[in-house]
Amino acid sequence: MPFNMIVIVREVWDTRDLAVSVLDESGKIKESALTTRFEPEDLNALEMALQIKDKQGGKVTALSLGDVRGVDVLKECLYRGVDEVVRIGDPNAKNLDTQATANLIVQAIRKIGVFDLILSGVTVVEGENSLLGAHVAGLLGIEPITWVDSLVEIAPGRVVGRRAIEMGYESIEAPLPALLVVGVALLKEDPRSPRSAKAMLKLKHKKTEIPVWTSSSLGIENVSGTTSIAGLEAIPQRVIQSKDVDPADEAALKTMLDEILKGE
């Protein structure tokens, strides 16, 4: 049975291997000091949706919020086999908190129309609160399954996801429509590891125009009046001094333990 799926995808700051401060004195991000990339867990969610389409047919729509800063994640979705893409583009939609972001996304999902399954990454990289998927599910009134490692089954009226827990795994079943929050894939053998972009699809979609929906077209007139992120503050890196202690020196060992207990 074919399923209609929507994947929430995001372009995020690439925080790997940072060598300089990325915040200015006012707590704003210095965009010139950073590059961007496709949110890795959203890529995992996209792969899961495409695998369902490969096996059972259906339609995959990718939805993203914000203008392109460096990597056009929606074009990357088209290059991997997504059927349709939509961008929510609004200059007043910058620096929104997770709840306000979810509200915009939900209005776009309602405009897209009928769906069976929504997929999203957990969002660890951006350092938000990993609740975007849960907020979207709550606003839509559907059940979420979080931290999904793999898809066990999707059938008419139900979906079963598998996730890791302490000392094992558990399978969670939810009625359709539902939302899956997909965790990170660390190994290439992981079934969520994303496929590469296809050269033929790159040529096909080289000049494809991506539709842009504004907040007003979604029925939201005052995006700038919602809760937003006012600023960021970096935590100074802690410098830990190493100390050599003779394991045969009981007095030195006792002094070291006292220092540890005192937090020195």
Side-chain angles (χ1 to χ4, degrees), residues 2-206:
F3 295 94
N4 286 329
M5 294 165 283
I6 299 172
V7 185
I8 302 168
V9 296
R10 288 155 290 188
E11 179 189 10
V12 298
W13 296 114
D14 190 347
T15 57
R16 298 170 296 178
D17 303 322
L18 291 179
V20 296
S21 173
V22 297
L23 298 179
D24 61 23
E25 294 179 356
S26 65
K28 303 295 184 181
I29 292 176
K30 294 189 291 187
E31 298 188 6
S32 60
L34 288 169
T35 57
T36 62
R37 63 172 174 163
F38 200 133
E39 161 62 57
E41 292 170 348
D42 291 348
L43 266 174
N44 300 151
L46 176 65
E47 177 61 29
M48 191 172 287
L50 291 173
Q51 287 181 14
I52 295 172
K53 177 188 172 185
D54 292 342
K55 294 177 182 178
Q56 299 185 239
K59 177 182 177 182
V60 178
T61 301
L63 172 64
S64 185
L65 171 62
D67 297 328
V68 178
R69 293 173 289 185
V71 177
D72 191 336
V73 295
L74 291 179
K75 280 291 185 73
E76 292 296 325
C77 290
L78 290 171
Y79 299 158
R80 287 166 171 79
V82 162
D83 300 286
E84 292 185 1
V85 293
V86 174
R87 187 187 315 283
I88 306 172
D90 195 310
N92 295 319
K94 292 183 179 181
N95 298 320
L96 297 180
D97 78 335
T98 310
Q99 181 71 49
T101 297
N103 187 44
L104 266 177
I105 289 173
V106 163
Q107 297 309 316
I109 289 172
R110 287 173 174 155
K111 185 173 180 178
I112 289 171
V114 178
F115 63 88
D116 299 296
L117 192 64
I118 299 172
L119 300 96
S120 174
V122 173
T123 320
V124 169
V125 174
E126 280 193 317
E128 296 175 1
N129 52 28
S130 303
L131 290 177
L132 179 63
H135 284 315
V136 170
L139 290 169
L140 288 170
I142 61 176
E143 294 293 330
I145 303 179
T146 57
W147 295 95
V148 175
D149 286 340
S150 61
L151 184 72
V152 177
E153 180 185 7
I154 181 168
R158 63 192 289 266
V159 61
V160 182
R162 184 172 181 259
R163 65 187 176 198
I165 58 173
E166 187 174 0
M167 304 298 292
Y169 294 90
E170 66 177 357
S171 296
I172 307 295
E173 180 177 336
L176 294 179
L179 186 147
L180 302 184
V181 181
V182 181
V184 66
L186 299 176
L187 303 175
K188 289 185 178 181
E189 303 81 41
D190 193 297
R192 297 163 294 174
S193 294
R195 65 191 66 189
S196 300
K198 297 181 179 179
M200 289 185 62
L201 291 176
K202 284 187 175 183
L203 291 174
K204 177 181 177 181
H205 293 293
K206 184 177 181 180

